[in-house]
């Protein structure tokens, strides 16, 4: 930890639609709500600028790294609200012309960019008429990313990454794992909370999960249930559905207490 003091963290939950401008206005409102509640670090959900029935729509709004209105919004919102802002995910240019990188960008409270993470694991699911294949429009990343913040060491992941515990082990010891997501209603109802609590328990750190949560224009339904979980696996804050903010304090003493009483990270035999 960079500080022994508790640090307030917040997850923004949204129900994004196909209009980027409207989504950015809503994101800004909710970031402001989190900042007013005292949050120093705020995370937006996956696909916060756009969820469309047309999966190729994200390609049309993709931006070059460091350029474009979505990145400008994140930079300015972090500076104006004076928060460390983790920008869920936004579409950036990929090496493949007809795909995007699904990218989390992090800005400090002066608007300076401090980290970029490209989603590594791409979601695929088919059950009856429900079908998803992110690899059709997204190019996978490959790098594990952590950064230092006022709330300690933070590890970045996105949605489907949650099912791959080896990613989190590769981060080393972190104080906070962040999971912006747009879990489907089907998979979220079955696995969302249990996977998030498992990641908190096995890594003995806080987990901050910011979700899309509700019925989107076009009919898609996401699970929601944005959560903040402590290192013992206890849920300390949650929002079931609909737009809003969940806030809680990340307490370094709680991390130290859990790791001292059950030193599982020191007991690891396989790395």
């Amino acid at each position: 930890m960079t500080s022994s003091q508790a640090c307030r963290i917040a997850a923004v939950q949204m129900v994004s639609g196909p209009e980027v401008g409207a989504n950015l206005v809503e994101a800004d409102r909710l970031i402001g709500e989190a900042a007013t509640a005292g949050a120093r670090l705020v995370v937006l959900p996956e696909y916060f600028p756009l969820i469309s029935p047309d999966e190729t729509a994200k390609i049309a709004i993709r931006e070059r790294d460091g350029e474009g209105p979505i990145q400008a919004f994140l930079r300015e919102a972090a500076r104006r609200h004076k928060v460390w802002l983790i920008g869920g995910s936004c579409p950036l240019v990929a090496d493949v012309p007809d795909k995007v990188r699904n990218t989390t960008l992090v800005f400090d409270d002066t608007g300076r960019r401090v980290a970029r993470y490209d989603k590594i694991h791409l979601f695929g699911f088919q059950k009856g008429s429900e079908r998803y294949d992110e690899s059709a429009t997204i190019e996978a990343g490959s790098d594990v990313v952590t950064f230092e913040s006022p709330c300690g060491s933070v590890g970045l992941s996105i949605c489907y990454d949650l099912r791959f515990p080896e990613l989190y082990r590769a981060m080393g010891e972190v104080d906070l794992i962040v999971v912006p997501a747009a879990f489907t209603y089907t998979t979220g109802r079955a696995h969302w909370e249990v996977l998030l609590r498992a990641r908190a328990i096995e890594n003995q750190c806080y987990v901050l999960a910011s979700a899309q949560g509700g019925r989107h224009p076009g009919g898609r339904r996401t699970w929601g249930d944005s959560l903040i979980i402590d290192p013992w696996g206890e849920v300390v804050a949650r929002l079931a559905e609909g737009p809003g903010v969940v806030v809680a304090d990340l307490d370094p003493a709680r991390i130290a207490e859990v790791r001292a009483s059950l030193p599982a990270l020191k007991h690891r035999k396989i790395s």
Side-chain angles (χ1 to χ4, degrees), residues 47-257:
Y47 299 133
F48 79 90
L50 176 77
I51 287 186
S52 170
D54 177 7
E55 289 298 324
T56 66
K58 65 174 79 74
I59 298 170
I61 67 161
R62 65 184 180 174
E63 297 178 356
R64 294 192 178 279
D65 190 20
E67 305 173 9
I70 298 170
Q71 294 171 84
F73 162 78
L74 291 170
R75 186 182 310 111
E76 171 61 16
R79 186 196 62 78
R80 183 162 33 85
H81 294 292
K82 297 180 173 58
V83 297
W84 282 62
L85 182 58
I86 301 175
S89 78
C90 58
L92 296 190
V93 168
D95 293 333
V96 179
D98 60 346
K99 294 186 179 183
V100 303
R101 291 291 183 107
N102 192 20
T103 300
T104 295
L105 298 172
V106 183
F107 295 86
D108 72 10
D109 55 6
T110 70
R112 178 179 63 95
R113 197 175 96 179
V114 297
R116 169 182 171 167
Y117 168 71
D118 294 348
K119 186 177 184 178
I120 293 173
H121 302 96
L122 303 183
F123 181 53
F125 178 75
Q126 184 165 358
K127 185 175 182 180
S129 61
E130 189 177 8
R131 182 178 184 276
Y132 300 92
D133 179 14
E134 285 191 326
S135 65
T137 55
I138 297 173
E139 179 180 74
S142 58
D143 295 333
V144 178
V145 177
T146 65
F147 68 96
E148 293 299 322
S149 81
C151 299
S153 178
V154 182
L156 296 175
S157 63
I158 301 175
C159 201
Y160 192 52
D161 285 331
L162 181 61
R163 295 182 182 272
F164 301 89
E166 62 271 21
L167 169 62
Y168 301 95
R169 287 301 199 205
M171 294 174 179
E173 292 189 16
V174 294
D175 302 297
L176 176 65
I177 286 169
V178 170
V179 189
F183 253 59
T184 70
Y185 188 88
T186 303
T187 59
R189 180 172 56 181
H191 300 145
W192 172 247
E193 181 179 335
V194 69
L195 286 170
L196 288 167
R197 293 180 69 187
R199 298 296 86 84
I201 292 165
E202 67 199 8
N203 295 288
Q204 299 186 315
C205 67
Y206 284 83
V207 169
L208 179 61
S210 173
Q212 294 280 353
R215 182 78 67 177
H216 300 262
R220 179 174 176 178
R221 187 178 183 188
T222 46
W223 175 244
D225 200 22
S226 292
L227 296 170
I228 302 175
I229 303 168
D230 82 359
W232 194 246
E234 298 288 338
V235 174
V236 295
R238 79 188 318 153
L239 175 62
E241 196 171 30
V245 174
V246 289
V247 178
D249 288 336
L250 184 155
D251 184 359
R254 178 63 168 157
I255 298 173
E257 174 195 11

Side-chain angles (χ1 to χ4, degrees), residues 33-46:
E33 185 177 321
T36 299
R40 296 190 67 191
L41 183 147
V42 179
V43 59
L44 295 171
E46 184 182 29

